[in-house]
Amino acid sequence: ALCYACIFGKPNAMKLLVASGANLRHVDIFGSNLAHLTTTAVMFDLLVEELGVEKISAMLNATNLFGWTPLTVAKALHCSE
C-alpha cells in the first residue's frame, strides 16, 4: 500500500502508512524502493520529511533491476531538485 501511495502521489496516505509502521524496506517487482518511487511521483521531499535524512541516505545507493538508483531516476525524469 505504501508503494502505491508513493507512485500515485497520495501524501496523506503515505503519512498515515508510515505512522502506522509500514515496511520501509519494501521493494516493488522491479526492485525499486520508496526513494525510487517517490522520485517518479515527485514526492521525494515529503519522504525525506517523514523518514529523516538517515533512513533516506541508505535508500539512495540502492539499485533496482535496471541498475538505476533513485538519483538516476530523477535525472532521467529531468527533476531539477
Side-chain angles (χ1 to χ4, degrees):
L2 184 55
C3 287
Y4 288 111
C6 291
I7 291 168
F8 294 111
K10 302 294 184 186
N12 292 336
M14 188 180 90
K15 287 180 181 183
L16 178 64
L17 290 163
V18 168
S20 298
N23 181 2
L24 303 177
R25 294 185 177 152
H26 179 76
V27 295
D28 68 7
I29 61 171
F30 300 108
S32 296
N33 64 30
L34 295 176
H36 289 96
L37 300 175
T38 56
T39 301
T40 60
V42 192
M43 290 182 52
F44 185 75
D45 290 341
L46 180 61
L47 186 68
V48 172
E49 181 182 314
E50 287 298 308
L51 302 183
V53 174
E54 288 96 28
K55 289 183 181 178
I56 297 299
S57 295
M59 291 181 188
L60 292 179
N61 292 321
T63 56
N64 61 18
L65 294 178
F66 306 106
W68 289 29
T69 67
L71 300 175
T72 310
V73 173
K75 185 177 178 182
L77 295 172
H78 307 287
C79 296
S80 60
E81 299 179 286

